[in-house]
Amino acid sequence: MNLLNDCSEVEDEGQTVGGRKRGMSRRLASLRHCTILAMSNLLNANVDSGLMHSIGLGYHKDLQTRATFMEVLTKILQQGTEFDTLAETVLADRFERLVELVTMMGDQGELPIAMALANVVPGSQW
């Protein structure tokens, strides 16, 4: 975000002073694009916690910050990011999988994981 803010400040200064060279403008646009792509990749790599930390940027008072967040969010959606862990049923799904693992039957009809847990977990914590 600091890098994007710096790019914006340089662009604003260039407009008030009388403009920058066309090459400088292209480099700033390229830097901004690469920064947004990097932010998208970082967020895409860890949507669970990354989105929770960055969602506030979508409600920021600064319009440019909001627009940048929307660009980042658009890029991760275009990359095909799935938000399975943000579903309302995610806890139920996780517990369902845990129950499946604990109640998995062995070769001879026994419950090896449940029996192993019973041997090491005190009765008060069952």
Side-chain angles (χ1 to χ4, degrees):
M1 287 307 299
N2 290 340
L3 184 56
L4 290 174
N5 289 338
D6 291 347
C7 287
S8 297
E9 288 174 9
V10 170
E11 284 177 350
D12 291 343
E13 287 173 10
Q15 290 173 358
T16 58
V17 173
R20 294 263 189 216
K21 292 181 182 175
R22 200 177 281 172
M24 180 65 138
S25 179
R26 269 188 273 133
R27 279 183 258 160
L28 283 174
S30 177
L31 179 60
R32 185 176 189 284
H33 173 74
C34 289
T35 303
I36 288 174
L37 187 60
M39 290 171 69
S40 301
N41 289 337
L42 285 170
L43 186 57
N44 191 12
N46 194 356
V47 173
D48 295 341
S49 66
L51 191 58
M52 295 306 152
H53 290 294
S54 63
I55 196 77
L57 295 175
Y59 299 98
H60 199 275
K61 339 183 235 196
D62 180 35
L63 291 175
Q64 191 165 5
T65 301
R66 276 191 271 173
T68 300
F69 174 74
M70 293 310 293
E71 278 186 70
V72 169
L73 192 58
T74 301
K75 289 239 185 264
I76 66 169
L77 290 172
Q78 288 172 344
Q79 291 172 353
T81 302
E82 294 189 20
F83 295 93
D84 293 340
T85 56
L86 301 176
E88 292 178 8
T89 61
V90 71
L91 284 177
D93 294 343
R94 285 182 185 167
F95 284 125
E96 183 178 329
R97 180 69 181 133
L98 179 62
V99 169
E100 285 175 15
L101 287 172
V102 171
T103 58
M104 186 173 54
M105 296 289 250
D107 295 336
Q108 298 159 349
E110 77 280 2
L111 300 169
I113 296 176
M115 294 306 294
L117 285 171
N119 289 330
V120 295
V121 175
S124 62
Q125 293 182 3
W126 279 34

